Amino acid sequence: MLTFFNEQHGQLRPRHELVQGHAVPGHDTPDRIDAILAELGRRGLGRIVTPHGVPLMSLERVHAPRYLHFLRHAWSEWAAQSPDHAQRDAFASQWPVRTLRADIEPEDLGARLGLYSIDTTTPLTAGTWVAAKTGADCAVNAAHALRVGERGSFALTRPPGHHAGADFFGGGCYLNNAALAAQHLLDDGLQRVAVLDVDYHHGSGTQGIFYDRADVLCLSIHAEPRQVYPFYSGHADETGDRAGHGYNVNLPLPARTTAQAWFTALETACVRLSMYRPEALVVALGANTFQGEAHGGFGLGGGDFLRLGERLAWLNLPTCFVFEGGSALRELGTNVVNVLEGFETAL
């Protein structure tokens, strides 16, 4: 397993999130990655390398140019507005929903924050762009590794990516790493790619990016969206649009779903995936399905993550894993690396 590690992930250190009117500590902390890195080193699962930087043009294959321009420059503009802004994270205060226009970019920074964001749990910080861009580098490099002979690769990075849309950030995500990996595989010559999202939360951004396309099959196993973030997507009747009709598969599960029921959903996803016959697979790997997870949790135990990796290996596809959610639990590193080891040793 070749791992691409985002050495710049620590640049992103949110001071807080705004939840129901309260400022609470941000849960996307650097020790999430540290736990996985330490476990990878302990088991000696494969080489850990730094990614080559990819050009902005590669990101524009998934994300709108004006959004990328905003993300690159927003912090500098925020910090220049007031001396005390450098000590405060940036949040939006307005959003263009429903009948309000989103096609014209406002000049006001606060309004632009609302144009490009979907919640108050995802602040912009001094290190947002560096951490997110290097994470995108990891994902694209991991995808490219499959094209030069690797059977499996892993993008170890934060912030996560699967809630980021073509032109917005949210859910702790700024650039959609899984979507960038899938798009790179297509740009590098493949005709059909699948994205399987096994995070506790629906891969809303990934779904939106590929929703009207047939060259990427998106499958997501996640918690019931009427009860859990992102709330407004992830229902079973969202099956794709136009050319993409039938190429989006959501498998929402109720809270406290058992491991047995979760693996039944996984088998449904694997059968649909095999029918599609993709040439490569991108796995949005969230470990917040663990039964002791603070920000999610189904009934999966440590051994179930090993079993997950084994089942994915039997698909017999070049596979790129991209890290998504999972709190800084003592078990996080073990669970994530269990997936990778299960995949590596099954065949």
Side-chain angles (χ1 to χ4, degrees):
M1 181 66 64
L2 179 60
T3 295
F4 291 88
F5 172 53
N6 182 358
E7 295 180 348
Q8 302 299 322
H9 77 92
Q11 296 285 328
L12 178 65
R13 293 179 179 270
R15 293 174 173 84
H16 63 273
E17 304 171 3
L18 298 178
V19 179
Q20 296 183 355
H22 298 282
V24 301
H27 69 272
D28 183 13
T29 55
D31 49 1
R32 298 170 62 241
I33 300 302
D34 296 342
I36 301 169
L37 187 65
E39 186 67 14
L40 280 170
R42 189 183 72 81
R43 297 197 207 182
L45 200 59
R47 288 191 298 138
I48 301 172
V49 300
T50 56
H52 297 291
V54 302
L56 199 62
M57 185 181 303
S58 297
L59 306 188
E60 291 176 351
R61 297 289 295 143
V62 165
H63 293 287
R66 76 170 189 174
Y67 170 65
L68 294 173
H69 182 270
F70 168 81
L71 206 58
R72 290 172 66 195
H73 300 288
W75 178 260
S76 296
E77 187 174 346
W78 167 260
Q81 281 189 345
S82 171
D84 67 342
H85 275 193
Q87 306 304 317
R88 295 163 47 199
D89 294 344
F91 290 92
S93 53
Q94 300 91 20
W95 288 269
V97 299
R98 296 177 175 83
T99 61
L100 300 180
R101 294 187 65 173
D103 59 314
I104 299 176
E105 187 181 61
E107 294 181 5
D108 180 82
L109 176 61
R112 273 181 284 132
L113 280 165
L115 178 65
Y116 295 120
S117 70
I118 59 174
D119 59 42
T120 60
T121 62
T122 314
L124 276 177
T125 75
T128 293
W129 172 253
V130 172
K133 170 58 169 62
T134 311
D137 294 343
C138 288
V140 172
N141 277 250
H144 189 70
L146 303 184
R147 300 292 290 143
V148 294
E150 294 289 337
R151 173 174 169 266
S153 60
F154 179 39
L156 177 56
T157 183
R158 57 174 285 275
H162 70 153
H163 295 307
D167 60 355
F168 61 81
F169 62 91
C173 306
Y174 305 89
L175 296 174
N176 195 307
N177 300 318
L180 287 163
Q183 185 62 53
H184 178 81
L185 290 167
L186 294 171
D187 292 342
D188 207 28
L190 300 189
Q191 301 299 310
R192 293 185 311 280
V193 174
V195 178
L196 174 62
D197 194 316
V198 295
D199 191 272
Y200 182 76
H201 304 99
H202 176 239
S204 50
T206 313
Q207 171 177 293
I209 288 166
F210 297 119
Y211 201 63
D212 60 357
R213 292 169 53 174
D215 53 354
V216 178
L217 173 68
C218 289
L219 309 106
S220 182
I221 308 169
H222 52 268
E224 169 57 56
R226 287 174 296 181
Q227 303 167 350
V228 172
Y229 189 94
F231 300 111
Y232 309 114
S233 71
H235 300 282
D237 63 352
E238 297 161 17
T239 58
D241 193 20
R242 297 188 291 274
H245 182 67
Y247 295 96
N248 192 83
V249 180
N250 287 325
L251 298 166
L253 299 172
R256 296 180 294 280
T257 288
T258 65
Q260 180 179 357
W262 191 90
F263 275 97
T264 297
L266 175 66
E267 195 59 33
T268 298
C270 287
V271 169
R272 178 67 182 86
L273 196 155
S274 296
M275 293 171 60
Y276 181 66
R277 300 180 65 184
E279 298 162 277
L281 174 64
V282 176
V283 178
L285 177 57
N288 44 10
T289 50
F290 179 61
Q291 59 191 355
E293 170 68 33
H295 299 283
F298 287 134
L300 275 65
D304 292 315
F305 290 92
L306 191 68
R307 179 182 170 192
L308 167 60
E310 292 170 347
R311 180 62 184 93
L312 296 179
W314 283 104
L315 293 170
N316 199 27
L317 291 167
T319 301
C320 169
F321 294 88
V322 178
F323 181 57
E324 295 287 355
S327 295
L329 300 171
R330 180 171 53 86
E331 297 88 351
L332 178 62
T334 299
N335 292 341
V336 170
V337 180
N338 274 356
V339 176
L340 305 179
E341 185 169 321
F343 179 87
E344 286 287 272
T345 59
L347 296 179

